[in-house]
Amino acid sequence: MTLAPETTDLKVQLLLDGTGDWFTVCDLALLTPGRGVAALLPDGRQAAIFLDRSGRLYAIDNRDPFTGAAVLSRGLIGSAQGRPFVASPLLKQRFDLESGKCLDDDEVAVTAYEVRSAGVAV
Amino acid sequence: MSTTAPVGTGPRPTIVLVGHGMVGQRFLEALAERGLTATHRVVVLCEEPRPAYDRVALTSYFSGKTPEDLSMTDMAFIEKERIELYVGDPAETVDREARRVTAKSGQVFEYDILVLATGSYPFVPPVPNKDAEGCFVYRTIEDLLAIEEYAKTKATTGAVVGGGLLGLEAAGALKGLGLGAHIVEFAPRLMPVQVDDGGGAALLRTIENMGLTVHTGVGTQEIVTDESGAVTGMKLSDGSELATDLVVFSAGVRPRDQLARDCGLTVGERGGITVDEQCRTVNDPHVFAIGECALAADGRVYGLVAPGYEQAETAAATIAADEASFTGADLSTKLKLLGVDVASFGDAHGATEDCLDVVYSDSRAGLYKKLVIGSDGTLLGGILVGDAEAYGTLKAFTGSVPPVSPESLVLPAGAGEPAQLGPSALPDDAIICSCNNVRKGTIRGAVTEHKCTTVPEVKKCTKAGTTCGSCVKVLGQLVNAELEASGVEVDKGLCGCFGQTRQELYEIVLALRITSYQDLLDRYGREGARGGDGCEICKPAVGSIIASLAPTLGASGYVLDGEQASLQDTNDHFLANLQKNGSYSIVPRIPGGEITPEKLIVIGEVARDFGLYTKITGGQRIDMFGARVEQLPMIWARLVDAGFESGHAYGKALRTVKSCVGQTWCRYGVQDSVRMAIDLELRYRGLRSPHKLKSAVSGCQRECAEAQSKDFGVIATANGWNLYVAGNGGATPRHADLLAQDLSDAELIRLIDRFLMFYIRTADRLERTSTWLERIEGGLDHVRDVVVHDSLGICDELEKLMADHVANYRDEWAETINDPEKLSRFVSFVNAPDTPDPLVSFVPERDQIKPDLPLLSIGTRPLEGTATR
Ligand SMILES: Cc1cc2nc3c(=O)[nH]c(=O)nc-3n(C[C@H](O)[C@H](O)[C@H](O)COP(=O)(O)OP(=O)(O)OC[C@H]3O[C@@H](n4cnc5c(N)ncnc54)[C@H](O)[C@@H]3O)c2cc1C
Ligand code: SF4
Ligand code: FES
């Protein structure tokens, strides 16, 4: 085995709030443009991570606040007036992907995470 | 009830209405509209065992309408207006001196105003044995029930005496009941009142082509019976005898004026209670007569509902001391008999001096059109047989000189100049809806002043189009024209991303062979949406269009391939149905509801091994609930192995074709309904459509499979299959309409192919067949023209599209479990493929599981908040 670090494919990373650490989730290649995946975070919470058609990444909490089910990652994404959103697959409320705000109800929001793709040394 | 007390002091004056038919009901509505129900006590004596119903649509009972469907009486209205309605209690005597009516039950009512709306009775010619068992008339729901019962058990052939409007309708009904049907008409042609010889000839050919036997120019001399007194035939005036087990007399109607005669009111020579222009009887200012029982001031008894309505309005206005009069009415009619349009309007027979005819006739096509034109070019009237498209426009122009040559309105398209005349050319006082006497100006006002924006709203606001329906098409054109003129932008676009309707997008995709959503969005999306990510509305809609056209476009039909994967709702994405706690349910296909014990055992074992909740669905299959995403492939591997395939319960696609056991087991069955259901389910499985599609096949008229509540339903007959379309259960139930009868297997399938493809092509997103049929212009008639008579010339293409679908069907689940890349998607967590979602958990209930939802209480806000959104 060689000891020299090697850069591999691009990875998806999430900034965990509070810690300031970037948490590596998976290969970027596992994401389909226009769809999301769910990730299990170290503290047991879940994030929904999306890739849009222009290659931008977004991450918000996976739990749908209206039903309690962890399903936002399975919603369809779209854009309205240039802002990206996901529509919950259960009751179809839209959530802004950058801020986590519910677009159908001012009082509801989910956590938004900072996310990036990066070449990571293994 | 909390209603405010009547104005004035003392007891309220009483209005007694005798007869609760169509006109009587309209009279009550007119009273309420004028506030007279608040100031008067209103008593109604109704002879029939049910309150007012739509007699004009009586025959639709035989195409599936129930007596409840036909009802015109809203009991909430009766209650709200505090109307005392006595059903099944006719008036027996009237004492005009004492102003008192006595009902059959013995109840006595004193009146200030008496309104007679007793209608007509069918005239039965005085031939020997006219009352024999098997002889009927055609006027009430009870008559129809009796005819149906007799036809089912005791008759194979039926004859109708009378070839007028009602006679043809009755003959059509007999044929629909499976009887060989004859029409015996004394006059030398059919519908002698409405059409002339040329029109009668066109009608005759078409009606004979439908398998009815017509005998014109002969009278009925005697009804022949057997020893038991039941009908076996009839002797005709030409000496011949016609064998028949059932006779319907439809030889005209006579006013029911006996009650009036008995109390000394004047009646006409040929019957009818004589009234003045206010509909008041000429003898007694306290008594009015309206509808078919009245002899109007112009010396006529009107046998149509529209003049009756006008009389009802006139009487109510007069009672309210408003000015109104009824001086006569238009006898225009348009009807559809056995699918043939027949219309006559104005001076149809050319009685005006110096008038000229314009005639277009094509016997082969069963077309006959005649216009009567005055010497100065005024359109006076006309007759249309076989195609009455132009009726609404022509009728409205009657009495004026039309702005284009009248010939151009009756010539077929392509011959000469096409007719350019739309309803916008009509003057404001042109009557658009003759049933309800609504003028163009009123309809425009509904849009401009009352802010109606749709045809249903305008119908509600003006009553136009609510009776025979023949004016609805013109109504729609007027409403649209008016909306456009008043600058109301009607955005019919699919969503914020596309300005086109689903149908327009379908046409674009098909014509330009577009196989990519992004391509479509970037080229045809709204300005601001191009280059963006679309939305959750248009993505699945376009995905579905591309999927249903995939073989034709040369695209992959598989919903998880390439870009398609990103367009699908989560259900389609995981090929399973998402449930409230994030788990999924699984429904394997069980075609026709037929399943072997071995397969039943496999389902049981799979459910047990994975701890799933099982329930039998309404569509005759088995639903397994509570699977987590990562379990789906394992479960399906076992199901596919046992010979199951996807049931598409997750998709906007064909769900199930239910069936009853049919002829094979059931003693009533007349065809093999299970085999047909399986054939249909296997043919249309996987077909992506604007909404889910449900179907059923019943083995006989008893209809155990409830086919008439389905998008397409099939009922076996002795001669083949009847096809019903656009039925619905659920929240907005709709009885399906009969599209075609007595079809062979091949004819049935061809027609369903066309119907489904036409629906897929023209429906809006998430529009079930029932709403689609109600929405599209021309409704059922138009759909029948397109899919049965190929009026648009697209049937070959529709059939080809379906053939492509059938040839290219693949089971989505079999394909998925054999593709490791696609399987990798079936995980709860991308970074922990083996970890199940801890939020999906279950608790026991009645020996099975149910979702454990305590988590909801931690949610940011209670669920109710979303339910009302
Ligand atoms: C099959 C069929 C198809 C038709 N199609 C058309 C069409 O396409 N277009 C059209 O314009 N017209 C059509 N008509 C005619 C239309 O139905 C009548 O013009 C309309 O019903 C007349 O309404 P009315 O209230 O005057 O009479 P009806 O609707 O006959 O009502 C009269 C009511 O009074 C009751 N009555 C009688 N005597 C008494 C009493 N002493 N006490 C209490 N109640 C009593 C009767 O039982 C009846 O219920 C059709 C009729 C039939 C039968
Ligand atoms: S619909 Fe007819 S054939 Fe089918 S089960 Fe019922 S009675 Fe029998
Ligand atoms: S003309 Fe009959 S409903 Fe309008």
Side-chain angles (χ1 to χ4, degrees):
Chain A
M1 273 224 154
T2 132
L3 293 174
E6 243 181 25
T7 21
T8 58
D9 295 339
L10 290 174
K11 299 279 186 191
V12 177
Q13 292 187 320
L14 213 67
L15 185 63
L16 298 180
D17 40 338
T19 66
D21 291 341
W22 286 95
F23 173 70
T24 301
V25 177
C26 62
D27 282 351
L28 182 61
L30 282 180
L31 271 65
T32 311
R35 286 225 85 102
V37 294
L40 191 58
L41 304 185
D43 63 358
R45 288 200 287 172
Q46 303 183 19
I49 304 168
F50 304 91
L51 185 64
D52 74 7
R53 69 182 275 200
S54 60
R56 291 194 53 186
L57 284 165
Y58 307 95
I60 58 173
D61 197 273
N62 192 27
R63 222 169 108 214
D64 174 12
F66 292 98
T67 58
V71 294
L72 291 184
S73 60
R74 302 179 211 162
L76 280 171
I77 70 165
S79 58
Q81 279 103 45
R83 288 190 71 82
F85 66 83
V86 63
S88 164
L90 279 168
L91 299 172
K92 310 291 177 199
Q93 293 91 352
R94 292 179 174 188
F95 294 87
D96 188 290
L97 286 179
E98 285 173 345
S99 66
K101 281 198 180 122
C102 177
L103 299 174
D104 298 298
D105 188 335
D106 290 344
E107 290 164 27
V108 177
V110 295
T111 311
Y113 294 90
E114 233 175 284
V115 60
R116 67 178 184 191
S117 59
V120 173
V122 192
Chain B
M1 240 181 312
S2 62
T3 342
T4 43
V7 281
T9 50
R12 294 179 298 163
T14 304
I15 301 174
V16 174
L17 169 68
V18 178
H20 193 218
M22 298 185 73
V23 173
Q25 171 63 20
R26 172 53 74 91
F27 173 71
L28 294 177
E29 288 164 20
L31 286 183
E33 272 161 26
R34 292 169 190 278
L36 292 167
T37 42
T39 50
H40 289 65
R41 172 184 183 215
V42 181
V43 173
V44 185
L45 293 174
C46 168
E47 175 187 56
E48 290 188 58
R50 59 188 87 242
Y53 54 86
D54 189 352
R55 204 178 304 287
V56 170
L58 195 62
T59 304
S60 64
Y61 169 76
F62 289 122
S63 50
K65 285 263 160 61
T66 62
E68 293 71 44
D69 293 337
L70 289 176
S71 174
M72 300 178 75
T73 316
D74 178 2
M75 287 322 276
F77 164 80
I78 299 286
E79 234 170 75
K80 177 166 152 277
E81 303 299 336
R82 298 195 294 167
I83 293 167
E84 297 169 38
L85 171 61
Y86 299 99
V87 175
D89 195 6
E92 282 205 325
T93 54
V94 174
D95 179 346
R96 288 202 289 122
E97 200 93 319
R99 286 207 239 131
R100 200 180 283 147
V101 180
T102 308
K104 188 167 178 206
S105 64
Q107 297 191 85
V108 178
F109 301 95
E110 290 188 353
Y111 64 80
D112 297 279
I113 291 164
L114 175 66
V115 179
L116 301 172
T118 48
S120 300
Y121 65 91
F123 169 69
V124 177
V127 294
N129 294 328
K130 65 183 171 55
D131 297 321
E133 189 190 334
C135 288
F136 299 91
V137 294
Y138 200 83
R139 175 95 198 159
T140 65
I141 289 185
E142 272 53 45
D143 293 336
L144 265 60
L145 295 175
I147 291 171
E148 183 182 44
E149 178 68 27
Y150 201 83
K152 265 190 187 158
T153 50
K154 298 195 174 131
T156 54
T157 312
V160 175
V161 178
L165 189 159
L166 291 190
L168 294 188
E169 225 176 277
L174 294 185
K175 178 163 180 284
L177 287 170
L179 305 188
H182 295 264
I183 299 168
V184 180
E185 167 58 52
F186 187 68
R189 60 167 185 268
L190 293 171
M191 291 189 62
V193 183
Q194 287 87 0
V195 307
D196 58 5
D197 283 337
L203 195 57
L204 175 66
R205 240 176 326 265
T206 318
I207 297 230
E208 285 186 333
N209 280 342
M210 289 171 181
L212 281 90
T213 317
V214 180
H215 314 258
T216 47
V218 288
T220 307
Q221 286 197 319
E222 187 186 334
I223 305 296
V224 187
T225 62
D226 61 15
E227 317 79 69
S228 74
V231 175
T232 58
M234 50 205 271
K235 282 197 180 127
L236 304 181
S237 60
D238 61 359
S240 65
E241 192 174 324
L242 182 67
T244 183
D245 332 290
L246 189 155
V247 174
V248 177
F249 288 105
S250 177
V253 295
R254 299 285 182 271
R256 287 191 69 175
D257 52 16
Q258 195 58 44
L259 193 65
R261 287 173 195 262
D262 292 346
C263 67
L265 290 169
T266 305
V267 297
E269 217 169 285
R270 303 217 315 277
I273 307 164
T274 314
V275 296
D276 63 16
E277 290 189 355
Q278 278 66 50
C279 298
R280 211 188 282 267
T281 56
V282 291
N283 319 78
D284 189 337
H286 296 282
V287 185
F288 291 75
I290 55 176
E292 287 194 337
C293 66
L295 175 63
D298 65 346
R300 294 163 89 164
V301 172
Y302 288 92
L304 292 171
V305 72
Y309 281 177
E310 227 180 294
Q311 294 169 355
E313 301 281 351
T314 304
T318 306
I319 294 168
D322 285 346
E323 263 184 42
S325 57
F326 178 86
T327 51
D330 180 32
L331 283 178
S332 304
T333 28
K334 175 184 170 204
L335 45 142
K336 195 159 207 118
L337 293 162
L338 309 144
V340 195
D341 280 324
V342 183
S344 78
F345 57 96
D347 178 12
H349 293 283
T352 314
E353 219 170 297
D354 287 340
C355 64
L356 301 162
D357 288 355
V358 176
V359 177
Y360 170 78
S361 151
D362 175 352
S363 330
R364 257 195 332 156
L367 286 180
Y368 176 85
K369 302 179 183 182
K370 180 179 93 171
L371 297 181
V372 180
I373 314 282
S375 50
D376 60 349
T378 310
L379 176 62
L380 297 172
I383 293 169
L384 307 169
V385 175
D387 168 16
E389 258 308 289
Y391 172 76
T393 318
L394 286 171
K395 189 171 49 118
F397 273 114
T398 304
S400 65
V401 181
V404 302
S405 81
E407 294 83 341
S408 66
L409 296 172
V410 292
L411 286 177
E417 278 168 51
Q420 285 297 322
L421 199 52
S424 45
L426 293 170
D428 261 358
D429 62 353
I431 295 188
I432 301 298
C433 173
S434 51
C435 287
N436 300 286
N437 200 16
V438 183
R439 289 169 198 277
K440 178 179 163 187
T442 315
I443 290 163
R444 291 185 43 198
V447 175
T448 50
E449 281 158 40
H450 300 279
K451 303 284 172 253
C452 302
T453 56
T454 63
V455 171
E457 280 169 24
V458 173
K459 277 178 157 180
K460 216 172 165 186
C461 176
T462 62
K463 287 213 169 102
T466 53
T467 310
C468 74
S470 71
C471 60
V472 174
K473 188 162 180 190
V474 176
L475 200 62
Q477 293 166 339
L478 268 179
V479 171
N480 280 341
E482 206 50 47
L483 282 174
E484 248 166 60
S486 61
V488 178
E489 192 63 48
V490 198
D491 191 339
K492 299 201 187 96
L494 181 66
C495 61
C497 311
F498 285 100
Q500 299 86 346
T501 62
R502 179 188 173 281
Q503 177 181 1
E504 287 162 346
L505 291 176
Y506 181 102
E507 298 298 339
I508 293 173
V509 166
L510 179 60
L512 303 180
R513 299 279 191 266
I514 293 179
T515 55
S516 145
Y517 166 82
Q518 288 188 1
D519 189 14
L520 188 71
L521 181 66
D522 295 350
R523 285 163 69 186
Y524 294 95
R526 294 184 199 259
E527 194 103 6
R530 294 184 189 167
D533 276 274
C535 77
E536 79 282 11
I537 293 169
C538 55
K539 279 182 171 176
V542 171
S544 153
I545 292 173
I546 295 176
S548 61
L549 288 172
T552 311
L553 300 177
S556 160
Y558 178 73
V559 294
L560 297 189
D561 262 350
E563 187 202 36
Q564 272 283 350
S566 71
L567 304 179
Q568 307 301 331
D569 267 327
T570 181
N571 282 353
D572 272 299
H573 194 59
F574 290 108
L575 305 173
N577 290 46
L578 180 64
Q579 304 297 336
K580 66 197 287 182
N581 67 341
S583 66
Y584 285 86
S585 79
I586 296 162
V587 192
R589 188 168 294 292
I590 301 180
E594 182 182 86
I595 186 166
T596 60
E598 283 69 31
K599 281 186 154 179
L600 265 180
I601 289 169
V602 171
I603 289 187
E605 285 175 347
V606 167
R608 186 193 54 209
D609 296 351
F610 288 88
L612 305 176
Y613 167 86
T614 51
K615 185 162 193 321
I616 311 280
T617 70
Q620 301 186 338
R621 42 193 195 175
I622 299 171
D623 205 342
M624 293 174 264
F625 291 79
R628 285 190 307 269
V629 176
E630 64 274 13
Q631 292 178 315
L632 291 173
M634 292 179 278
I635 292 171
W636 271 104
R638 289 196 34 196
L639 291 173
V640 168
D641 196 42
F644 285 105
E645 62 177 355
S646 166
H648 297 100
Y650 45 81
K652 303 284 178 250
L654 177 80
R655 294 286 166 85
T656 69
V657 183
K658 282 172 69 169
S659 68
C660 71
V661 288
Q663 190 183 36
T664 319
W665 295 89
C666 174
R667 63 203 156 117
Y668 298 114
V670 291
Q671 303 282 348
D672 188 347
S673 47
V674 180
R675 178 194 52 81
M676 181 52 79
I678 294 174
D679 286 357
L680 294 178
E681 186 157 345
L682 296 183
R683 184 170 181 82
Y684 302 121
R685 64 186 164 185
L687 180 68
R688 290 301 203 270
S689 59
H691 210 310
K692 60 189 169 192
L693 287 168
K694 295 183 175 183
S695 177
V697 183
S698 280
C700 81
Q701 295 288 351
R702 286 180 171 71
E703 244 284 69
C704 296
E706 298 166 339
Q708 289 169 95
S709 64
K710 303 296 181 212
D711 295 285
F712 60 102
V714 178
I715 301 180
T717 69
N719 309 319
W721 309 96
N722 285 357
L723 174 59
Y724 292 80
V725 295
N728 199 8
T732 46
R734 181 181 190 279
H735 233 67
D737 289 310
L738 182 62
L739 187 69
Q741 313 187 27
D742 291 335
L743 303 164
S744 68
D745 287 11
E747 287 169 339
L748 175 71
I749 285 171
R750 200 173 58 193
L751 213 51
I752 301 177
D753 282 2
R754 295 172 175 184
F755 173 79
L756 290 178
M757 276 303 173
F758 185 51
Y759 158 68
I760 291 174
R761 179 171 199 151
T762 55
D764 272 343
R765 161 187 172 266
L766 298 187
E767 187 173 48
R768 290 292 294 269
T769 54
S770 54
T771 26
W772 167 74
L773 193 78
E774 301 265 325
R775 173 185 58 87
I776 59 168
E777 233 175 64
L780 178 68
D781 290 341
H782 175 61
V783 171
R784 186 182 284 121
D785 282 347
V786 173
V787 304
V788 181
H789 308 303
D790 199 8
S791 62
L792 298 181
I794 56 169
C795 285
D796 284 350
E797 190 187 340
L798 297 177
E799 285 175 33
K800 164 91 177 35
L801 287 169
M802 189 62 87
D804 283 347
H805 161 78
V806 174
N808 286 283
Y809 168 80
R810 290 169 295 169
D811 175 26
E812 288 161 359
W813 264 113
E815 231 162 280
T816 305
I817 55 176
N818 289 317
D819 184 337
E821 202 207 308
K822 272 157 200 143
L823 281 183
S824 69
R825 206 170 281 159
F826 289 82
V827 292
S828 286
F829 299 111
V830 66
N831 59 340
D834 300 325
T835 313
D837 178 355
L839 296 186
V840 174
S841 61
F842 303 94
V843 290
E845 181 171 80
R846 291 188 297 278
D847 299 334
Q848 297 205 67
I849 57 162
K850 70 166 186 183
D852 183 17
L853 295 168
L855 292 158
L856 279 185
S857 52
I858 324 172
T860 44
R861 52 201 299 272
L863 250 186
E864 302 86 74
T866 64
T868 53
R869 301 162 64 82

